[in-house]
Amino acid sequence: MMTKDEISARIIDLVERHNPKGLTILLETDLTEELEIDSVAAMDLVMEIEEEFDLNIPVNEVADLRTVGDLVELVARELRGREP
Amino acid sequence: MSDLFARYRKLLARRDQLLGQGANPFGLRFDRLLSPTRALVEGREVLLLGTNNYLGLTFDPACVEAALAATRAYGTGTTGSRIANGTYDLHERLERALADFYDRARCLVFTTGYQANLATLAGLAGPGDRIFIDSHSHASIYDGCLLSGARIIRFRHNDAEDLERRLARHRGEEGIQLVVVEGLYSMLGDVAPLRELVAVVRRHGAWMVVDEAHSLGVYGARGRGVAEEQGVEAEVDVVVGTFSKSLGAVGGFAVSHHEGLELLRYAARPYMFTASPSPATMASVTAAIQRIRDDPSLRERIWRNARALHAGLAELGLRLGADPGPVVAVVLPDEATAVAVWNHLLAHGLYVNLALPPGTPDRRSLLRLSVSAAHSEEEIERAIAAFRELVRRFDLKSAA
Ligand SMILES: Cc1ncc(COP(=O)(O)O)c(C=O)c1O
């Protein structure tokens, strides 16, 4: 079972690819307001995360994402949901 | 003071910026239609390469006469939904004609193709189910999935392996799994690899829905679409389609060999809580299906035109979205160029579609051209000539 910290580190690495302005990425960083990730880029990012964690993230869950921390919570939740 | 539309600040700025550059690509007014391929815009004749009038049937005499006769006999509207306000024999006749055309047991007609997807997807799946959709899916597919309450999982465009990986992640879970794809994708004009996709769907015990909105009447020996063309119709559970493109009217349908499709009449809200298609629509669409059955030259003509346009544009070195087909997408380097080129073409008498991100796959800026069986060879030549002149004036080839 992956810890939250491990999940966070891997997600922050992926989010870095969508960070042309070189902001410091924290769990509080806002995806839309600060990183300017629009709905289309968000879908791309989600696909990268799905591949990284070998996980399906339903589109239904994506609309409510605001921060990097929300992404971490979502992945943690989906990973937990997959345990037997 | 607060502003009810404050949330659209960015949209407003983008719209005004776009309108500052010329005509409105998302609100162009046609003052008259002269034929399926020609219209008047501000007093000038424009050649239409931006419709979905693939077979050119909007002015077909048999279709027009059928619509007029039905309007005289049944009136202008049905004034309500089938479950509340009654079915006309015209609805049933059209449903039979479509079921026969597709050789399927059951057919439901809907008021638009958009609603056909809403009703079908929300009718087939619900909370606890999963719907797998191609990442290039049309908005009506997304919205149908949302309405269903099922979990929506996107897979990479036309990628059967990615679909398989994603289906495998849910092995053994409860609920039905629906896979939804389009036969022909309307932005880039590329076709789904249905043979590979249905093999995956079958291996995982999922169900398959194919939206043939843009392929009906164009692909397949009888014009049933890409599933027919690729020989996989038996593996497709439900075909969804629209009357608004090759059939030249407004409305949509679903056909299936499953008797259960009938139940959607009592369960699918986008069927139940909206007025049924008008008498004119039903009659003209019934006539249009007969035209497709009787006249294979319609398909021959659209393919002749599609190949000619594709070859002509490819020869100019333009980057095109896909192999020859009814939709030809010209991929442009950026949005500013796309807008400038769209305006230039219009000023030179050619109407095409401008497609900009985020509504396009992979953020591309596109000119979308659609071919009609009604285009003459001379009109296709004229379109190619307009692009020849464009290539001389604009840098269209910088990598996008
Ligand atoms: C793939 C696809 N499905 C459904 C629709 C909706 O059809 P309609 O225009 O009949 O609402 C469209 C086009 O608008 C489409 O491109």
Side-chain angles (χ1 to χ4, degrees):
Chain A
M1 174 78 202
M2 219 179 298
T3 66
K4 271 278 175 64
D5 285 347
E6 286 170 293
I7 297 173
S8 302
R10 285 164 73 175
I11 285 185
I12 287 172
D13 276 350
L14 292 173
V15 173
E16 281 293 358
R17 299 190 203 162
H18 299 264
N19 181 20
K21 287 200 265 175
L23 305 180
T24 304
I25 295 178
L26 307 168
L27 291 179
E28 299 74 45
T29 304
D30 190 294
L31 298 167
T32 316
E33 296 298 323
E34 294 176 74
L35 291 166
E36 298 178 14
I37 294 178
D38 63 16
S39 58
V40 179
M43 295 304 252
D44 293 344
L45 174 59
V46 164
M47 277 221 173
E48 290 159 19
I49 293 173
E50 289 176 309
E51 256 154 45
E52 172 76 16
F53 293 93
D54 188 22
L55 183 78
N56 289 340
I57 297 178
V59 176
N60 325 54
E61 309 282 346
V62 176
D64 297 332
L65 297 175
R66 213 173 46 76
T67 64
V68 174
D70 292 342
L71 270 174
V72 174
E73 290 300 328
L74 173 58
V75 169
R77 201 162 62 235
E78 294 289 330
L79 284 174
R80 226 175 311 127
R82 220 176 42 176
E83 282 170 34
Chain B
M1 205 173 63
S2 65
D3 173 1
L4 180 56
F5 298 95
R7 70 171 77 197
Y8 296 117
R9 253 190 345 255
K10 278 188 187 159
L11 178 72
L12 181 66
R14 196 168 173 216
R15 185 198 67 175
D16 288 348
Q17 206 258 343
L18 187 67
L19 295 193
Q21 296 174 66
N24 181 358
F26 306 117
L28 191 69
R29 189 183 71 231
F30 301 114
D31 294 312
R32 259 184 69 197
L33 270 291
L34 305 171
S35 79
T37 62
R38 290 174 303 122
L40 285 185
V41 176
E42 298 189 353
R44 286 187 320 110
E45 190 176 317
V46 169
L47 174 60
L48 302 176
L49 273 119
T51 70
N52 298 306
N53 202 351
Y54 299 121
L55 300 180
L57 292 179
T58 49
F59 283 86
D60 183 85
C63 299
V64 171
E65 286 311 317
L68 291 172
T71 302
R72 290 205 182 89
Y74 294 82
T76 49
T78 62
T79 74
S81 87
R82 303 227 344 236
I83 56 158
N85 311 94
T87 281
Y88 291 25
D89 62 343
L90 297 174
H91 293 109
E92 292 189 349
R93 219 176 293 159
L94 174 55
E95 288 179 340
R96 252 190 326 272
L98 277 162
D100 283 352
F101 177 68
Y102 274 97
D103 206 5
R104 304 259 178 166
R106 294 292 161 199
C107 172
L108 266 62
V109 299
F110 302 94
T111 311
T112 65
Y114 177 84
Q115 285 159 291
N117 270 328
L118 295 195
T120 301
L121 301 179
L124 296 178
D129 298 325
R130 288 170 298 287
I131 312 182
F132 297 78
I133 62 173
D134 187 284
S135 64
H136 287 190
S137 290
H138 188 260
S140 57
I141 294 176
Y142 276 98
D143 292 355
C145 292
L146 288 172
L147 190 62
S148 77
R151 308 246 289 173
I152 310 161
I153 295 156
R154 286 164 92 233
F155 60 92
R156 286 190 188 280
H157 177 54
N158 277 350
D159 188 336
E161 275 177 38
D162 191 46
L163 172 62
E164 176 132 52
R165 247 189 323 273
R166 288 168 187 276
L167 280 161
R169 286 177 187 145
H170 296 278
R171 196 167 285 143
E173 286 181 25
E174 308 236 311
I176 65 158
Q177 316 211 88
L178 213 58
V179 174
V180 187
V181 300
E182 297 172 33
L184 177 79
Y185 286 86
S186 63
M187 281 291 159
L188 293 176
D190 52 336
V191 163
L194 289 184
R195 255 181 250 151
E196 288 139 57
L197 291 165
V198 296
V200 170
V201 167
R202 172 176 268 204
R203 264 202 296 284
H204 289 268
W207 306 94
M208 181 76 160
V209 176
V210 180
D211 180 343
E212 300 267 21
H214 291 267
S215 30
L216 162 59
V218 181
Y219 288 82
R222 300 180 202 74
R224 291 173 179 173
V226 173
E228 184 188 26
E229 171 103 355
Q230 298 187 12
V232 297
E233 288 181 289
E235 317 277 336
V236 175
D237 294 286
V238 180
V239 172
V240 179
T242 173
F243 304 156
S244 71
K245 306 179 196 304
S246 55
L247 297 172
V250 181
F253 67 91
V255 292
S256 178
H257 54 270
H258 297 285
E259 297 286 338
L261 190 73
E262 283 295 319
L263 296 171
L264 300 199
R265 296 190 200 274
Y266 312 99
R269 298 161 70 88
Y271 175 88
M272 299 162 71
F273 297 103
T274 191
S276 62
S278 72
T281 292
M282 251 99 58
S284 79
V285 173
T286 308
I289 291 161
Q290 197 57 45
R291 290 284 289 116
I292 293 178
R293 297 184 83 131
D294 292 345
D295 187 1
S297 80
L298 291 171
R299 275 197 300 295
E300 286 156 20
R301 281 206 299 281
I302 187 177
W303 278 103
R304 176 201 69 194
N305 288 337
R307 291 198 186 91
L309 182 65
H310 193 280
L313 298 182
E315 200 174 308
L316 296 174
L318 293 167
R319 201 171 141 209
L320 305 181
D323 293 337
V327 173
V328 182
V330 179
V331 183
L332 294 173
D334 53 61
E335 184 167 330
T337 308
V339 173
V341 164
W342 182 86
N343 274 295
H344 182 89
L345 286 173
L346 184 65
H348 289 77
L350 197 65
Y351 171 71
V352 302
N353 305 126
L354 176 67
L356 300 177
T360 51
D362 306 323
R363 285 176 190 285
R364 283 184 269 205
S365 296
L366 307 172
L367 294 182
R368 174 189 181 275
L369 284 63
S370 55
V371 183
S372 174
H375 284 124
S376 65
E377 288 176 60
E378 185 273 327
E379 285 174 332
I380 297 293
E381 269 312 308
R382 191 143 38 100
I384 296 168
F387 273 88
R388 193 170 298 123
E389 155 38 41
L390 261 192
V391 172
R392 272 198 290 269
R393 274 172 183 259
F394 293 84
D395 176 15
L396 302 185
K397 296 181 211 167
S398 320

